[in-house]
Amino acid sequence: MTPAESLTTRATSLGLYGLLAHLSDVASQPWVETLLEWEESERACRGLARRIQAAHIGRFRPMADFDWAWPDKIDRDAVEESFRLDFISQADNLVLLGPNGVGKTMIAQNLCYQAVLRGVPALFTTASALLADLSERHTSYALQQRLRHYSRPKLLCIDEIGYLSYDARAADLLFEVITRRYQRASTIVSTNKAFSEWHEIFPNATSVVTLIDRLTHQAEVLSIEGESYRLKESRERAEKKQQSRRSQRKKSSST
């Protein structure tokens, strides 16, 4: 491809039809290459911003801030290997299992973010938001539309399964989402409940056993054990405030 053909192809892909109409007159000008680079860079940045917003990841702390020394048990190699995102190309699932505050959501958000950066269609949601959304669809057509919405992304992250209990219909809806994605697209689930306790999340639901079977087939379960890191930070903030108050009282008493 000649330089002129390259400029034409790039201008066409960007939809710069005014430039294309006069390209033969200005192709030799150095500013044409600069203009195309600016436009390509800006559109790439805006496209990435739109994809991140559409993924609904929300605010999160980067993995560089993760305190690997805090959990009592965590397979760091397995977690870091998951960031290669090989499981997505294989349509495998990932389950993050552990008590509150050990970093499950942080890991899931970062995985979703990295997927978006690499051009993978991804969506992040909580179990309560997903099930409330589906439960509000009162017609078959509306429900099918939303099920397609959750089935479509190459990566779906469902956070906080186990923090609330749901009725049998909610279990059936979650089962439908997992079944539609089964062996076709990857799902990340974070939960504070062992699978043997999922009957507490979905009491009286007959689909729970099959739901777990579909979810865990071709899935890696990463278990994290330890105390809540948020509770640790809360204690540290409280101690700092107490120290600050004691220091202020000493200064006041000395004056």
Side-chain angles (χ1 to χ4, degrees):
M1 182 181 295
T2 66
E5 290 172 338
S6 176
L7 292 177
T8 300
T9 300
R10 292 165 66 189
T12 301
S13 67
L14 292 169
L16 301 178
Y17 300 111
L19 177 62
L20 283 167
H22 302 280
L23 191 58
S24 58
D25 300 325
V26 299
S28 61
Q29 299 297 319
W31 59 262
V32 175
E33 176 71 25
T34 302
L35 173 66
L36 292 173
E37 289 177 355
W38 284 347
E39 189 67 25
E40 288 167 343
S41 177
E42 179 62 22
R43 293 197 184 191
C45 289
R46 290 167 60 187
L48 177 59
R50 284 194 301 269
R51 292 195 301 273
I52 292 173
Q53 184 177 19
H56 297 292
I57 302 171
R59 295 180 60 184
F60 65 95
R61 296 169 66 176
M63 286 303 295
D65 292 346
F66 194 90
D67 187 350
W68 295 99
W70 176 251
D72 296 331
K73 173 189 172 185
I74 185 170
D75 189 338
R76 180 172 182 173
D77 290 340
V79 172
E80 291 182 337
E81 182 180 329
S82 69
F83 278 88
R84 293 166 49 188
L85 304 183
D86 292 339
F87 69 96
I88 297 178
S89 61
Q90 299 164 2
D92 290 347
N93 297 331
L94 184 65
V95 178
L96 301 169
L97 172 64
N100 300 346
V102 293
K104 303 184 302 297
T105 298
M106 182 177 178
I107 294 171
Q109 287 177 307
N110 275 274
L111 284 168
C112 191
Y113 179 70
Q114 289 300 319
V116 173
L117 290 182
R118 301 185 200 183
V120 176
L123 178 63
F124 187 94
T125 185
T126 62
S128 59
L130 180 146
L131 294 174
D133 184 24
L134 294 176
S135 297
E136 290 171 356
R137 309 301 158 175
H138 300 300
T139 67
S140 176
Y141 175 79
L143 178 59
Q144 293 303 316
Q145 288 288 99
R146 294 312 288 172
L147 285 170
R148 280 193 286 272
H149 170 73
Y150 292 111
S151 303
R152 192 178 301 118
K154 290 289 292 180
L155 177 64
L156 174 66
C157 299
I158 307 175
D159 195 27
E160 298 181 346
I161 293 182
Y163 293 85
L164 299 172
S165 59
Y166 304 94
D167 58 19
R169 182 169 185 267
D172 294 342
L173 291 172
L174 182 59
F175 170 75
E176 184 68 26
V177 172
I178 297 301
T179 296
R180 289 182 178 223
R181 300 181 59 79
Y182 179 60
Q183 295 186 326
R184 289 191 288 270
S186 295
T187 304
I188 296 175
V189 164
S190 78
T191 178
N192 64 333
K193 298 282 190 182
F195 293 121
S196 60
E197 299 174 332
W198 274 36
H199 66 279
E200 299 174 6
I201 309 172
F202 304 104
N204 305 317
T206 59
S207 60
V208 173
V209 174
T210 309
L211 165 62
I212 294 171
D213 181 68
R214 294 278 174 89
L215 176 64
T216 57
H217 183 227
Q218 296 183 202
E220 183 171 11
V221 179
L222 299 180
S223 297
I224 308 174
E225 297 177 4
E227 295 184 7
S228 170
Y229 193 81
R230 289 189 292 268
L231 183 58
K232 168 182 175 289
E233 289 184 321
S234 296
R235 286 198 298 261
E236 290 174 347
R237 283 195 297 268
E239 290 173 0
K240 288 180 180 179
K241 287 181 180 179
Q242 289 176 357
Q243 291 174 358
S244 176
R245 292 190 188 104
R246 285 195 294 266
S247 176
Q248 289 175 358
R249 284 197 294 269
K250 287 180 181 179
K251 289 180 180 179
S252 298
S253 61
S254 63
T255 57

mmCIF file of all heavy atoms in Angstrom, residues 97-140:
data_model
loop_
_atom_site.group_PDB
_atom_site.id
_atom_site.type_symbol
_atom_site.label_atom_id
_atom_site.label_comp_id
_atom_site.label_asym_id
_atom_site.label_seq_id
_atom_site.Cartn_x
_atom_site.Cartn_y
_atom_site.Cartn_z
ATOM 1 N N LEU A 97 -14.470 -16.726 45.973
ATOM 2 C CA LEU A 97 -15.175 -17.181 47.172
ATOM 3 C C LEU A 97 -14.448 -16.716 48.417
ATOM 4 O O LEU A 97 -13.236 -16.932 48.557
ATOM 5 C CB LEU A 97 -15.275 -18.713 47.164
ATOM 6 C CG LEU A 97 -15.800 -19.395 48.424
ATOM 7 C CD1 LEU A 97 -17.251 -18.984 48.692
ATOM 8 C CD2 LEU A 97 -15.683 -20.916 48.284
ATOM 9 N N GLY A 98 -15.169 -16.055 49.321
ATOM 10 C CA GLY A 98 -14.541 -15.612 50.554
ATOM 11 C C GLY A 98 -15.457 -14.725 51.361
ATOM 12 O O GLY A 98 -16.487 -14.246 50.862
ATOM 13 N N PRO A 99 -15.112 -14.458 52.611
ATOM 14 C CA PRO A 99 -15.939 -13.601 53.465
ATOM 15 C C PRO A 99 -15.904 -12.146 53.021
ATOM 16 O O PRO A 99 -15.170 -11.769 52.099
ATOM 17 C CB PRO A 99 -15.306 -13.788 54.852
ATOM 18 C CG PRO A 99 -13.880 -14.140 54.561
ATOM 19 C CD PRO A 99 -13.921 -14.954 53.306
ATOM 20 N N ASN A 100 -16.683 -11.337 53.691
ATOM 21 C CA ASN A 100 -16.764 -9.910 53.349
ATOM 22 C C ASN A 100 -15.416 -9.229 53.528
ATOM 23 O O ASN A 100 -14.674 -9.505 54.468
ATOM 24 C CB ASN A 100 -17.787 -9.210 54.252
ATOM 25 C CG ASN A 100 -19.174 -9.803 54.114
ATOM 26 O OD1 ASN A 100 -19.444 -10.554 53.191
ATOM 27 N ND2 ASN A 100 -20.048 -9.457 55.031
ATOM 28 N N GLY A 101 -15.094 -8.310 52.607
ATOM 29 C CA GLY A 101 -13.972 -7.410 52.794
ATOM 30 C C GLY A 101 -12.600 -7.971 52.495
ATOM 31 O O GLY A 101 -11.601 -7.356 52.881
ATOM 32 N N VAL A 102 -12.513 -9.102 51.791
ATOM 33 C CA VAL A 102 -11.188 -9.677 51.511
ATOM 34 C C VAL A 102 -10.691 -9.359 50.100
ATOM 35 O O VAL A 102 -9.622 -9.822 49.709
ATOM 36 C CB VAL A 102 -11.183 -11.210 51.737
ATOM 37 C CG1 VAL A 102 -11.374 -11.529 53.205
ATOM 38 C CG2 VAL A 102 -12.237 -11.903 50.874
ATOM 39 N N GLY A 103 -11.452 -8.577 49.331
ATOM 40 C CA GLY A 103 -10.966 -8.132 48.024
ATOM 41 C C GLY A 103 -11.610 -8.777 46.819
ATOM 42 O O GLY A 103 -11.137 -8.585 45.696
ATOM 43 N N LYS A 104 -12.688 -9.507 47.012
ATOM 44 C CA LYS A 104 -13.328 -10.187 45.879
ATOM 45 C C LYS A 104 -13.824 -9.183 44.835
ATOM 46 O O LYS A 104 -13.582 -9.346 43.640
ATOM 47 C CB LYS A 104 -14.503 -11.051 46.368
ATOM 48 C CG LYS A 104 -14.147 -12.092 47.400
ATOM 49 C CD LYS A 104 -15.324 -12.976 47.762
ATOM 50 C CE LYS A 104 -16.514 -12.219 48.282
ATOM 51 N NZ LYS A 104 -16.234 -11.500 49.553
ATOM 52 N N THR A 105 -14.520 -8.151 45.299
ATOM 53 C CA THR A 105 -15.054 -7.151 44.371
ATOM 54 C C THR A 105 -13.936 -6.405 43.670
ATOM 55 O O THR A 105 -14.010 -6.141 42.462
ATOM 56 C CB THR A 105 -15.963 -6.161 45.122
ATOM 57 O OG1 THR A 105 -17.077 -6.870 45.675
ATOM 58 C CG2 THR A 105 -16.461 -5.071 44.192
ATOM 59 N N MET A 106 -12.894 -6.069 44.409
ATOM 60 C CA MET A 106 -11.747 -5.356 43.835
ATOM 61 C C MET A 106 -11.125 -6.168 42.702
ATOM 62 O O MET A 106 -10.821 -5.631 41.623
ATOM 63 C CB MET A 106 -10.719 -5.085 44.926
ATOM 64 C CG MET A 106 -9.498 -4.314 44.476
ATOM 65 S SD MET A 106 -8.429 -3.993 45.910
ATOM 66 C CE MET A 106 -7.052 -3.151 45.121
ATOM 67 N N ILE A 107 -10.945 -7.458 42.910
ATOM 68 C CA ILE A 107 -10.377 -8.320 41.873
ATOM 69 C C ILE A 107 -11.309 -8.394 40.674
ATOM 70 O O ILE A 107 -10.879 -8.275 39.516
ATOM 71 C CB ILE A 107 -10.089 -9.722 42.439
ATOM 72 C CG1 ILE A 107 -8.978 -9.648 43.497
ATOM 73 C CG2 ILE A 107 -9.697 -10.687 41.323
ATOM 74 C CD1 ILE A 107 -8.778 -10.948 44.266
ATOM 75 N N ALA A 108 -12.610 -8.578 40.929
ATOM 76 C CA ALA A 108 -13.577 -8.697 39.839
ATOM 77 C C ALA A 108 -13.641 -7.416 39.018
ATOM 78 O O ALA A 108 -13.680 -7.455 37.781
ATOM 79 C CB ALA A 108 -14.957 -9.038 40.403
ATOM 80 N N GLN A 109 -13.637 -6.262 39.681
ATOM 81 C CA GLN A 109 -13.676 -4.990 38.956
ATOM 82 C C GLN A 109 -12.429 -4.797 38.097
ATOM 83 O O GLN A 109 -12.513 -4.329 36.962
ATOM 84 C CB GLN A 109 -13.821 -3.827 39.937
ATOM 85 C CG GLN A 109 -15.197 -3.709 40.562
ATOM 86 C CD GLN A 109 -15.251 -2.587 41.580
ATOM 87 O OE1 GLN A 109 -14.447 -2.525 42.500
ATOM 88 N NE2 GLN A 109 -16.204 -1.683 41.413
ATOM 89 N N ASN A 110 -11.281 -5.143 38.634
ATOM 90 C CA ASN A 110 -10.043 -5.000 37.872
ATOM 91 C C ASN A 110 -10.009 -5.958 36.683
ATOM 92 O O ASN A 110 -9.511 -5.594 35.610
ATOM 93 C CB ASN A 110 -8.835 -5.234 38.780
ATOM 94 C CG ASN A 110 -8.408 -3.980 39.524
ATOM 95 O OD1 ASN A 110 -7.636 -3.178 39.012
ATOM 96 N ND2 ASN A 110 -8.922 -3.805 40.737
ATOM 97 N N LEU A 111 -10.516 -7.159 36.847
ATOM 98 C CA LEU A 111 -10.580 -8.100 35.722
ATOM 99 C C LEU A 111 -11.497 -7.565 34.634
ATOM 100 O O LEU A 111 -11.170 -7.630 33.439
ATOM 101 C CB LEU A 111 -11.062 -9.464 36.205
ATOM 102 C CG LEU A 111 -10.041 -10.319 36.955
ATOM 103 C CD1 LEU A 111 -10.722 -11.502 37.637
ATOM 104 C CD2 LEU A 111 -8.947 -10.828 36.012
ATOM 105 N N CYS A 112 -12.631 -7.029 35.042
ATOM 106 C CA CYS A 112 -13.569 -6.462 34.072
ATOM 107 C C CYS A 112 -12.937 -5.278 33.344
ATOM 108 O O CYS A 112 -13.067 -5.141 32.124
ATOM 109 C CB CYS A 112 -14.846 -6.043 34.798
ATOM 110 S SG CYS A 112 -16.213 -5.606 33.705
ATOM 111 N N TYR A 113 -12.230 -4.436 34.090
ATOM 112 C CA TYR A 113 -11.573 -3.269 33.502
ATOM 113 C C TYR A 113 -10.507 -3.693 32.496
ATOM 114 O O TYR A 113 -10.425 -3.139 31.392
ATOM 115 C CB TYR A 113 -10.960 -2.431 34.613
ATOM 116 C CG TYR A 113 -10.226 -1.203 34.131
ATOM 117 C CD1 TYR A 113 -10.918 -0.126 33.591
ATOM 118 C CD2 TYR A 113 -8.837 -1.114 34.227
ATOM 119 C CE1 TYR A 113 -10.246 1.009 33.157
ATOM 120 C CE2 TYR A 113 -8.164 0.020 33.792
ATOM 121 C CZ TYR A 113 -8.866 1.074 33.264
ATOM 122 O OH TYR A 113 -8.205 2.190 32.834
ATOM 123 N N GLN A 114 -9.693 -4.680 32.859
ATOM 124 C CA GLN A 114 -8.657 -5.152 31.942
ATOM 125 C C GLN A 114 -9.266 -5.753 30.683
ATOM 126 O O GLN A 114 -8.718 -5.606 29.585
ATOM 127 C CB GLN A 114 -7.761 -6.181 32.644
ATOM 128 C CG GLN A 114 -6.853 -5.595 33.706
ATOM 129 C CD GLN A 114 -5.896 -4.560 33.136
ATOM 130 O OE1 GLN A 114 -5.338 -4.742 32.051
ATOM 131 N NE2 GLN A 114 -5.705 -3.466 33.862
ATOM 132 N N ALA A 115 -10.393 -6.427 30.833
ATOM 133 C CA ALA A 115 -11.072 -6.980 29.660
ATOM 134 C C ALA A 115 -11.505 -5.869 28.713
ATOM 135 O O ALA A 115 -11.317 -5.957 27.495
ATOM 136 C CB ALA A 115 -12.271 -7.815 30.099
ATOM 137 N N VAL A 116 -12.072 -4.799 29.269
ATOM 138 C CA VAL A 116 -12.505 -3.669 28.440
ATOM 139 C C VAL A 116 -11.309 -3.043 27.729
ATOM 140 O O VAL A 116 -11.382 -2.709 26.541
ATOM 141 C CB VAL A 116 -13.240 -2.622 29.295
ATOM 142 C CG1 VAL A 116 -13.544 -1.372 28.466
ATOM 143 C CG2 VAL A 116 -14.533 -3.193 29.844
ATOM 144 N N LEU A 117 -10.188 -2.887 28.448
ATOM 145 C CA LEU A 117 -8.997 -2.311 27.837
ATOM 146 C C LEU A 117 -8.518 -3.127 26.647
ATOM 147 O O LEU A 117 -7.959 -2.585 25.692
ATOM 148 C CB LEU A 117 -7.867 -2.209 28.868
ATOM 149 C CG LEU A 117 -8.018 -1.181 29.992
ATOM 150 C CD1 LEU A 117 -6.775 -1.191 30.884
ATOM 151 C CD2 LEU A 117 -8.240 0.222 29.437
ATOM 152 N N ARG A 118 -8.735 -4.431 26.707
ATOM 153 C CA ARG A 118 -8.291 -5.308 25.620
ATOM 154 C C ARG A 118 -9.363 -5.523 24.565
ATOM 155 O O ARG A 118 -9.236 -6.415 23.716
ATOM 156 C CB ARG A 118 -7.832 -6.649 26.205
ATOM 157 C CG ARG A 118 -6.690 -6.496 27.198
ATOM 158 C CD ARG A 118 -6.168 -7.815 27.671
ATOM 159 N NE ARG A 118 -5.435 -7.677 28.941
ATOM 160 C CZ ARG A 118 -4.815 -8.674 29.548
ATOM 161 N NH1 ARG A 118 -4.831 -9.884 29.022
ATOM 162 N NH2 ARG A 118 -4.194 -8.469 30.698
ATOM 163 N N GLY A 119 -10.414 -4.738 24.634
ATOM 164 C CA GLY A 119 -11.439 -4.798 23.597
ATOM 165 C C GLY A 119 -12.480 -5.871 23.785
ATOM 166 O O GLY A 119 -13.247 -6.164 22.859
ATOM 167 N N VAL A 120 -12.561 -6.454 24.980
ATOM 168 C CA VAL A 120 -13.538 -7.508 25.251
ATOM 169 C C VAL A 120 -14.829 -6.870 25.759
ATOM 170 O O VAL A 120 -14.796 -6.133 26.757
ATOM 171 C CB VAL A 120 -13.010 -8.501 26.302
ATOM 172 C CG1 VAL A 120 -14.072 -9.540 26.644
ATOM 173 C CG2 VAL A 120 -11.739 -9.178 25.806
ATOM 174 N N PRO A 121 -15.972 -7.119 25.137
ATOM 175 C CA PRO A 121 -17.238 -6.588 25.660
ATOM 176 C C PRO A 121 -17.501 -7.168 27.051
ATOM 177 O O PRO A 121 -17.531 -8.381 27.230
ATOM 178 C CB PRO A 121 -18.272 -7.081 24.648
ATOM 179 C CG PRO A 121 -17.493 -7.354 23.392
ATOM 180 C CD PRO A 121 -16.158 -7.843 23.856
ATOM 181 N N ALA A 122 -17.664 -6.294 28.046
ATOM 182 C CA ALA A 122 -17.804 -6.748 29.431
ATOM 183 C C ALA A 122 -18.887 -5.942 30.137
ATOM 184 O O ALA A 122 -19.185 -4.802 29.766
ATOM 185 C CB ALA A 122 -16.475 -6.620 30.171
ATOM 186 N N LEU A 123 -19.447 -6.551 31.181
ATOM 187 C CA LEU A 123 -20.489 -5.899 31.971
ATOM 188 C C LEU A 123 -20.328 -6.321 33.424
ATOM 189 O O LEU A 123 -20.162 -7.503 33.718
ATOM 190 C CB LEU A 123 -21.879 -6.297 31.469
ATOM 191 C CG LEU A 123 -23.084 -5.732 32.234
ATOM 192 C CD1 LEU A 123 -23.119 -4.210 32.130
ATOM 193 C CD2 LEU A 123 -24.375 -6.335 31.699
ATOM 194 N N PHE A 124 -20.371 -5.328 34.318
ATOM 195 C CA PHE A 124 -20.256 -5.580 35.751
ATOM 196 C C PHE A 124 -21.580 -5.223 36.418
ATOM 197 O O PHE A 124 -22.153 -4.164 36.156
ATOM 198 C CB PHE A 124 -19.128 -4.738 36.350
ATOM 199 C CG PHE A 124 -18.822 -5.055 37.786
ATOM 200 C CD1 PHE A 124 -17.815 -5.957 38.107
ATOM 201 C CD2 PHE A 124 -19.535 -4.459 38.818
ATOM 202 C CE1 PHE A 124 -17.534 -6.257 39.433
ATOM 203 C CE2 PHE A 124 -19.267 -4.749 40.143
ATOM 204 C CZ PHE A 124 -18.261 -5.653 40.453
ATOM 205 N N THR A 125 -22.064 -6.102 37.286
ATOM 206 C CA THR A 125 -23.308 -5.841 38.002
ATOM 207 C C THR A 125 -23.295 -6.599 39.318
ATOM 208 O O THR A 125 -22.466 -7.490 39.529
ATOM 209 C CB THR A 125 -24.531 -6.266 37.162
ATOM 210 O OG1 THR A 125 -25.736 -5.893 37.838
ATOM 211 C CG2 THR A 125 -24.542 -7.770 36.929
ATOM 212 N N THR A 126 -24.188 -6.229 40.206
ATOM 213 C CA THR A 126 -24.367 -7.008 41.433
ATOM 214 C C THR A 126 -25.513 -7.985 41.221
ATOM 215 O O THR A 126 -26.370 -7.795 40.346
ATOM 216 C CB THR A 126 -24.692 -6.096 42.628
ATOM 217 O OG1 THR A 126 -25.932 -5.409 42.370
ATOM 218 C CG2 THR A 126 -23.588 -5.080 42.858
ATOM 219 N N ALA A 127 -25.530 -9.019 42.046
ATOM 220 C CA ALA A 127 -26.609 -9.999 41.948
ATOM 221 C C ALA A 127 -27.957 -9.337 42.196
ATOM 222 O O ALA A 127 -28.939 -9.614 41.488
ATOM 223 C CB ALA A 127 -26.371 -11.132 42.948
ATOM 224 N N SER A 128 -28.017 -8.438 43.182
ATOM 225 C CA SER A 128 -29.290 -7.796 43.505
ATOM 226 C C SER A 128 -29.775 -6.926 42.350
ATOM 227 O O SER A 128 -30.974 -6.923 42.027
ATOM 228 C CB SER A 128 -29.157 -6.960 44.779
ATOM 229 O OG SER A 128 -28.162 -5.960 44.632
ATOM 230 N N ALA A 129 -28.865 -6.194 41.698
ATOM 231 C CA ALA A 129 -29.253 -5.336 40.579
ATOM 232 C C ALA A 129 -29.716 -6.173 39.389
ATOM 233 O O ALA A 129 -30.719 -5.852 38.740
ATOM 234 C CB ALA A 129 -28.088 -4.436 40.179
ATOM 235 N N LEU A 130 -28.990 -7.235 39.089
ATOM 236 C CA LEU A 130 -29.348 -8.096 37.959
ATOM 237 C C LEU A 130 -30.713 -8.725 38.172
ATOM 238 O O LEU A 130 -31.576 -8.698 37.282
ATOM 239 C CB LEU A 130 -28.274 -9.172 37.776
ATOM 240 C CG LEU A 130 -28.464 -10.173 36.641
ATOM 241 C CD1 LEU A 130 -27.113 -10.583 36.053
ATOM 242 C CD2 LEU A 130 -29.190 -11.436 37.105
ATOM 243 N N LEU A 131 -30.939 -9.297 39.356
ATOM 244 C CA LEU A 131 -32.197 -10.002 39.608
ATOM 245 C C LEU A 131 -33.364 -9.035 39.727
ATOM 246 O O LEU A 131 -34.482 -9.354 39.309
ATOM 247 C CB LEU A 131 -32.063 -10.857 40.867
ATOM 248 C CG LEU A 131 -31.060 -12.019 40.727
ATOM 249 C CD1 LEU A 131 -30.858 -12.735 42.048
ATOM 250 C CD2 LEU A 131 -31.520 -13.002 39.654
ATOM 251 N N ALA A 132 -33.123 -7.847 40.288
ATOM 252 C CA ALA A 132 -34.186 -6.846 40.343
ATOM 253 C C ALA A 132 -34.562 -6.392 38.939
ATOM 254 O O ALA A 132 -35.749 -6.231 38.621
ATOM 255 C CB ALA A 132 -33.749 -5.651 41.182
ATOM 256 N N ASP A 133 -33.567 -6.203 38.088
ATOM 257 C CA ASP A 133 -33.803 -5.783 36.705
ATOM 258 C C ASP A 133 -34.650 -6.816 35.966
ATOM 259 O O ASP A 133 -35.632 -6.479 35.300
ATOM 260 C CB ASP A 133 -32.462 -5.573 36.008
ATOM 261 C CG ASP A 133 -32.609 -5.049 34.596
ATOM 262 O OD1 ASP A 133 -33.644 -4.435 34.284
ATOM 263 O OD2 ASP A 133 -31.685 -5.263 33.786
ATOM 264 N N LEU A 134 -34.267 -8.081 36.095
ATOM 265 C CA LEU A 134 -35.007 -9.135 35.399
ATOM 266 C C LEU A 134 -36.401 -9.324 35.983
ATOM 267 O O LEU A 134 -37.368 -9.570 35.245
ATOM 268 C CB LEU A 134 -34.226 -10.445 35.458
ATOM 269 C CG LEU A 134 -32.896 -10.477 34.699
ATOM 270 C CD1 LEU A 134 -32.177 -11.798 34.924
ATOM 271 C CD2 LEU A 134 -33.110 -10.245 33.209
ATOM 272 N N SER A 135 -36.519 -9.208 37.295
ATOM 273 C CA SER A 135 -37.822 -9.422 37.946
ATOM 274 C C SER A 135 -38.833 -8.350 37.584
ATOM 275 O O SER A 135 -40.042 -8.581 37.666
ATOM 276 C CB SER A 135 -37.645 -9.466 39.465
ATOM 277 O OG SER A 135 -36.830 -10.555 39.849
ATOM 278 N N GLU A 136 -38.337 -7.169 37.192
ATOM 279 C CA GLU A 136 -39.237 -6.068 36.849
ATOM 280 C C GLU A 136 -39.824 -6.190 35.453
ATOM 281 O O GLU A 136 -40.696 -5.390 35.079
ATOM 282 C CB GLU A 136 -38.485 -4.735 36.963
ATOM 283 C CG GLU A 136 -38.155 -4.344 38.397
ATOM 284 C CD GLU A 136 -37.227 -3.136 38.471
ATOM 285 O OE1 GLU A 136 -36.802 -2.669 37.383
ATOM 286 O OE2 GLU A 136 -36.925 -2.677 39.582
ATOM 287 N N ARG A 137 -39.376 -7.163 34.678
ATOM 288 C CA ARG A 137 -39.882 -7.334 33.305
ATOM 289 C C ARG A 137 -41.146 -8.181 33.360
ATOM 290 O O ARG A 137 -41.099 -9.373 33.678
ATOM 291 C CB ARG A 137 -38.824 -7.995 32.421
ATOM 292 C CG ARG A 137 -37.477 -7.323 32.493
ATOM 293 C CD ARG A 137 -37.524 -5.869 32.080
ATOM 294 N NE ARG A 137 -36.396 -5.121 32.634
ATOM 295 C CZ ARG A 137 -36.133 -3.855 32.359
ATOM 296 N NH1 ARG A 137 -36.906 -3.194 31.526
ATOM 297 N NH2 ARG A 137 -35.106 -3.240 32.928
ATOM 298 N N HIS A 138 -42.279 -7.532 33.059
ATOM 299 C CA HIS A 138 -43.572 -8.180 33.267
ATOM 300 C C HIS A 138 -44.130 -8.843 32.018
ATOM 301 O O HIS A 138 -45.183 -9.483 32.083
ATOM 302 C CB HIS A 138 -44.580 -7.157 33.805
ATOM 303 C CG HIS A 138 -44.142 -6.549 35.111
ATOM 304 N ND1 HIS A 138 -43.916 -7.299 36.242
ATOM 305 C CD2 HIS A 138 -43.884 -5.256 35.453
ATOM 306 C CE1 HIS A 138 -43.547 -6.506 37.239
ATOM 307 N NE2 HIS A 138 -43.509 -5.264 36.781
ATOM 308 N N THR A 139 -43.456 -8.671 30.893
ATOM 309 C CA THR A 139 -43.897 -9.368 29.680
ATOM 310 C C THR A 139 -42.776 -10.292 29.215
ATOM 311 O O THR A 139 -41.604 -10.057 29.507
ATOM 312 C CB THR A 139 -44.245 -8.377 28.557
ATOM 313 O OG1 THR A 139 -43.045 -7.716 28.121
ATOM 314 C CG2 THR A 139 -45.260 -7.342 29.041
ATOM 315 N N SER A 140 -43.157 -11.311 28.496
ATOM 316 C CA SER A 140 -42.178 -12.266 27.990
ATOM 317 C C SER A 140 -41.174 -11.585 27.069
ATOM 318 O O SER A 140 -39.970 -11.872 27.125
ATOM 319 C CB SER A 140 -42.888 -13.398 27.242
ATOM 320 O OG SER A 140 -41.958 -14.293 26.671
#
